[in-house]
Amino acid sequence: MGDSTATADLDVALEKHRTELTGYCYRMLGSSFEAEDAVQDTLVRAWRSHAKFEGRSSLRSWLYRIATNVCLDMLAAGNRRARPMDLTESTPLARAALTPRPDNTWLEPMPDARVLPTTDDPAEAAVAKESVRLAFMAALQRLPAKQRAVLILREVLAWRASEVAELLDTTVASVNSALQRARATLAERADAGAEGAVSDPLDEEQQKLLERYVKAFEGYDMAALTALLHEDAVMTMPPFDLWLRGTADITGFMTTIGASCAGSRLLPVRANGLPGFAHYKPDPESGGFTPWAVQVLEISDGRITGFHCFLDTGRWFPLFGLPLHLEAEPDEVQQGV
């Protein structure tokens, strides 16, 4: 009886850390699914070796040590995840071609609920959200793995240099040096804070911008959409490496190659600390609407600056807990939508 109670207590104690560990591993790896695998591996290792855990550090510190080693092992293969604009130049619409790259090329989206622990501290919540935004995540992926770990532990999770040194089995001087180099690399990335204008929670102006966006997109009103997009707005569509810059190319794409998205429906989601939508397009075969993309939007100065469409719906919609079909509303059925 005692053993089973102790096992249950350990399970509960470990499970309490799942969300924050997933956030840490996601920042390290840039992949939603690899992050969840890494956390599962971390918790299994902790469970198996708990008898050897002598309590010289807190359970949380010990779990972070295991998670860091798991992530460093996974990163040893050298794969760096990226956004389309990190890999190629933008393509004019006239030369647009949809060329997919393997899944492990891409920085992946992540539902807020899986990586952002609940906190009563608004400043802590803001830092956590900012540190999973797409531009910051892409900048993190440019850092060597140990610098990445140091930066996340020190700047995002607010660990002391001595705690990080102990976790990485190194010196405080080495940690401080790694942090300095990591900060310098991030400072060179002009877009690392590109979504900093997204307030938390969204302010009234941003909320109205999103409402106008939904109306323009669902109505496929390109004039209205153009008015909401920054003139240098960027559109990406992983797994395709194509990306477009500027309102003319974006709306031009939507009315040509993307024309089948007319009449779509959008459901709000929260991803990467940013507003987003599950995009369903009309299903001509079975009626209703079928999954097409998870959209993540970047906003600055009252305009949409980034419009990122993650198209692998078989992976993303279950991850976000989204239905794989939407029924048409009765009035849409009558109108033959």
Side-chain angles (χ1 to χ4, degrees):
M1 183 75 175
D3 284 351
S4 63
T5 303
T7 298
D9 289 349
L10 177 58
D11 287 341
V12 170
L14 294 175
E15 198 59 36
K16 274 183 192 167
H17 297 280
R18 183 181 289 275
T19 303
E20 66 168 312
L21 287 171
T22 305
Y24 176 61
C25 293
Y26 176 61
R27 294 178 187 100
M28 285 291 289
L29 301 169
S31 162
S32 328
F33 295 103
E34 285 184 2
E36 297 204 327
D37 288 347
V39 172
Q40 195 56 35
D41 190 5
T42 297
L43 296 180
V44 168
R45 290 188 193 192
W47 200 89
R48 284 179 179 159
S49 58
H50 189 257
K52 298 176 194 166
F53 173 55
E54 296 166 358
R56 284 177 295 188
S57 62
S58 69
L59 178 66
R60 181 172 181 255
S61 299
W62 184 58
L63 288 171
Y64 270 93
R65 175 189 281 264
I66 298 170
T68 301
N69 289 331
V70 169
C71 289
L72 293 177
D73 286 346
M74 290 173 79
L75 290 166
N79 181 52
R80 281 181 177 175
R81 289 176 178 267
R83 304 167 300 169
M85 61 276 241
D86 300 321
L87 302 178
T88 63
E89 295 297 315
S90 63
T91 308
L93 180 60
R95 297 208 310 271
L98 297 178
T99 310
R101 294 203 190 189
D103 289 343
N104 66 3
T105 307
W106 303 117
L107 183 63
E108 296 180 346
M110 181 63 113
D112 283 4
R114 289 181 181 252
V115 290
L116 299 176
T118 50
T119 174
D120 296 327
D121 182 340
E124 191 180 310
V127 168
K129 283 197 168 185
E130 286 163 13
S131 67
V132 292
R133 290 181 180 166
L134 294 172
F136 185 78
M137 287 286 299
L140 278 180
Q141 304 307 302
R142 309 292 294 182
L143 299 175
K146 285 205 172 168
Q147 281 185 32
R148 204 179 304 178
V150 167
L151 184 95
I152 296 165
L153 291 164
R154 291 281 285 119
E155 303 267 284
V156 178
L157 301 175
W159 286 40
R160 294 192 298 272
S162 57
E163 294 173 318
V164 178
E166 187 179 340
L167 182 142
L168 293 173
D169 290 324
T170 188
T171 63
V172 168
S174 175
V175 166
N176 289 337
S177 173
L179 181 60
Q180 200 172 359
R181 293 196 304 276
R183 281 175 175 162
T185 301
L186 258 58
E188 292 165 9
R189 300 273 301 189
D191 67 342
E195 313 106 331
V198 181
S199 61
D200 179 34
L202 295 175
D203 63 32
E204 189 178 353
E205 184 190 356
Q206 291 166 349
Q207 199 60 54
K208 285 182 176 171
L209 174 68
L210 293 179
E211 288 167 10
R212 292 200 299 273
Y213 170 76
V214 170
K215 187 176 179 184
F217 194 96
E218 291 189 342
Y220 233 56
D221 182 340
M222 294 302 131
L225 194 60
T226 297
L228 305 177
L229 294 173
H230 189 279
E231 60 183 14
D232 288 327
V234 164
M235 179 182 184
T236 68
M237 292 162 281
F240 301 116
D241 59 13
L242 169 75
W243 65 281
L244 303 165
R245 184 189 292 280
T247 52
D249 277 357
I250 290 172
T251 57
F253 179 90
M254 290 174 67
T255 52
T256 55
I257 299 171
S260 63
C261 291
S264 289
R265 290 291 170 268
L266 300 180
L267 298 183
V269 297
R270 293 293 305 189
N272 292 83
L274 294 164
F277 295 94
H279 171 191
Y280 293 81
K281 71 176 188 176
D283 185 344
E285 291 180 15
S286 60
F289 300 89
T290 192
W292 184 246
V294 169
Q295 301 179 358
V296 182
L297 303 188
E298 295 166 347
I299 298 172
S300 186
D301 298 328
R303 295 286 183 93
I304 294 166
T305 56
F307 173 47
H308 304 290
C309 306
F310 295 91
L311 301 182
D312 191 350
T313 55
R315 301 171 81 217
W316 306 131
F317 276 56
L319 182 73
F320 280 80
L322 292 161
L324 295 177
H325 182 78
L326 288 186
E327 296 297 335
E329 298 294 327
D331 58 335
E332 292 169 334
V333 174
Q334 287 171 10
Q335 294 166 24
V337 172

